């Protein structure tokens, strides 16, 4: 059996990436909003931009998963169905009687304030006769009549009834309206790495390279959640320059503040949770049960959150090993004071396990300081767990003999 199955042919993956492409194009427009502008998602078009002078840009987004021999998206062809469908949609919009544009004068007025952009990850090719003809018309190398003649000729090169219908919609425009439409029409092709475009837009707002991903993920997450809530409430997704600043500026301010970014990194848990030295130390003082996997996982996650963030901060150049050494020295001094209080002369008296638990309880309420910045309590807990895992500190009076 050969060929693609029905499941493959109708795969939701192609549609899903198309929706994502549309969303990230919208996000990039948001990141580039100018004062007085408004960007909408699936309101007037796939994406649209309203300008303070009363003009609007309507954007149609087309995405393909088809690739050429080099692995790049295929070129946009002369008789591409999506290309002609977009032109047809815009032509129908221009003459829409429901919007009061049945007359030629109303259509011309609409074109004075509206421009059209087809954006796609498909690349431009000099073999695309339509794009070449439109470019020649806009540069003055061809008249409008010659452009119409080219389009009329292209219709004879396809037997696809749907594409022929789209071409008819374009050709049915009044000559003056058609000329105005093509003057207002433009293309943005080869826009494949749309997420990279978003990140470049963030970088242009004076965000350090090491903070770009933090800002991108924070803004992306908030915009997605707010868009979902907007649609759920029955409203349209339109965001103004002022609204974007009010709702999302804090992510940029935080990245510029100089404070250390603590990231929620997915930890890679060890297979043997209970085999970790710091877990053994907690089990031996009856702080956690030997079979309490839930607490073993929670505490291990905090330790790894601390360790992974330190490694990332060093890698990004936000801190140095000297900063870590200073913090760990301070943590050891805090531990030492509590340890010596619990075991004068390092000798246990009374219920040693209770004394050990008192040390742990006290340290769990202490915040460590890294490069002059106070760490969150959860991360500070992870720091003490990490020190006891190596082990640099311990809870029982003879912890060195037991765990080193």
């Amino acid at each position: 059996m050969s060929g693609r199955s029905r499941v493959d042919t109708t795969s939701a993956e192609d549609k899903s990436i198309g929706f994502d492409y549309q969303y990230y194009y919208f996000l990039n427009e948001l990141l580039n909003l100018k004062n007085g502008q408004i960007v909408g998602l699936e309101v007037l078009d796939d994406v649209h931009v309203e300008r303070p002078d009363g003009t609007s840009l309507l954007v149609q987004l087309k995405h393909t998963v088809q690739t050429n021999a080099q692995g790049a998206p295929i070129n946009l062809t002369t008789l591409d169905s999506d290309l002609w469908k977009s032109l047809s949609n815009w032509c129908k919009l221009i003459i829409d009687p429901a919007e009061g544009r049945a007359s030629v004068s109303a259509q011309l007025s609409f074109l004075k304030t509206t421009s059209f952009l087809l954006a796609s990850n498909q690349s431009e090719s000099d073999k695309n006769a339509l794009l070449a003809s439109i470019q020649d018309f806009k540069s003055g190398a061809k008249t409008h009549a010659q452009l119409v003649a080219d389009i009329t000729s292209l219709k004879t090169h396809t037997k696809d009834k749907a594409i022929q219908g789209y071409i008819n919609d374009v050709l049915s425009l009044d000559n003056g309206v058609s000329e105005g439409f093509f003057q207002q029409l433009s293309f943005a092709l080869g826009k494949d790495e749309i997420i990279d475009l978003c990140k470049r837009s963030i970088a242009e707002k004076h965000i350090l390279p090491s903070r770009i991903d933090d800002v991108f993920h924070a803004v992306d997450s908030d915009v997605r959640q707010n868009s979902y809530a907007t649609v759920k409430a029955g409203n349209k997704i339109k965001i103004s320059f002022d609204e974007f600043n009010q709702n999302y500026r804090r992510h940029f301010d935080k990245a510029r503040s100089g404070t250390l970014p603590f990231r929620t990194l997915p930890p890679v848990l060890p297979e043997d949770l209970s085999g970790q030295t710091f877990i053994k130390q907690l089990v031996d003082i009856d702080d956690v049960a030997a079979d309490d996997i839930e607490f073993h996982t929670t505490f291990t996650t905090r330790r790894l959150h601390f360790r992974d963030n330190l490694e990332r901060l060093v890698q990004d150049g936000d801190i140095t090993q000297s900063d870590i050494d200073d913090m760990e020295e301070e943590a050891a001094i805090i531990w030492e004071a509590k340890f010596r209080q619990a075991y004068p002369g390092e000798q246990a008296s009374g219920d040693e396990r209770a004394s050990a638990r008192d040390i742990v309880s006290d340290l769990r309420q202490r915040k460590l300081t890294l490069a002059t910045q106070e760490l969150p309590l959860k991360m500070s807990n992870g720091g003490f767990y990490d020190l006891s895992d190596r082990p640099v500190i311990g809870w029982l009076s003879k912890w060195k003999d037991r765990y080193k």
Side-chain angles (χ1 to χ4, degrees), residues 194-243:
I194 193 68
I195 292 178
D196 286 346
L197 285 177
C198 292
K199 292 183 179 182
R200 282 201 289 273
S201 296
I202 292 171
E204 289 169 359
K205 296 184 181 298
H206 307 291
I207 301 299
L208 291 172
S210 63
R211 305 295 176 89
I212 290 173
D213 280 351
D214 296 320
V215 175
F216 171 75
H217 291 305
V219 174
D220 179 26
S221 177
D222 275 9
V223 170
R224 281 187 183 274
Q225 291 183 55
N226 293 340
S227 297
Y228 175 80
T230 298
V231 174
K232 188 178 181 182
N235 299 317
K236 298 183 183 299
I237 302 173
K238 292 177 64 175
I239 302 175
S240 69
F241 175 83
D242 290 337
E243 289 169 336

Side-chain angles (χ1 to χ4, degrees), residues 98-118:
E99 297 289 341
R101 292 193 289 270
S103 67
V104 169
S105 60
Q107 294 163 18
L108 290 172
S109 295
F110 177 67
L111 287 171
K112 287 180 180 178
T113 61
T114 310
S115 53
F116 309 86
L117 174 68
L118 177 65

Side-chain angles (χ1 to χ4, degrees), residues 334-364:
I334 294 172
W335 163 82
E336 182 183 45
K338 194 65 183 175
F339 183 84
R340 294 182 69 83
Q341 180 184 358
Y343 307 117
E346 297 190 19
Q347 297 298 315
S349 61
D351 187 345
E352 183 176 0
R353 286 182 173 81
S355 298
R357 289 195 297 271
D358 286 343
I359 299 173
V360 174
S361 178
D362 181 80
L363 297 188
R364 281 176 175 155

Side-chain angles (χ1 to χ4, degrees), residues 162-212:
I163 295 177
Q164 289 179 347
Y166 298 148
I167 296 176
N168 284 336
D169 292 334
V170 175
L171 293 173
S172 66
L173 290 178
D174 170 85
N175 274 338
V177 174
S178 174
E179 186 169 359
F181 169 58
F182 283 109
Q183 287 289 3
Q184 295 285 66
L185 175 64
S186 57
F187 299 87
L189 304 179
K191 303 289 185 181
D192 189 36
E193 302 300 334
I194 193 68
I195 292 178
D196 286 346
L197 285 177
C198 292
K199 292 183 179 182
R200 282 201 289 273
S201 296
I202 292 171
E204 289 169 359
K205 296 184 181 298
H206 307 291
I207 301 299
L208 291 172
S210 63
R211 305 295 176 89
I212 290 173

Side-chain angles (χ1 to χ4, degrees), residues 1 56 84 94 131 145 151-152 171 183 197 228 257 270 378:
M1 183 175 179
S56 297
W84 287 103
I94 292 168
L131 298 189
I151 295 173
T152 303
L171 293 173
Q183 287 289 3
L197 285 177
Y228 175 80
S257 68
K378 180 171 67 173

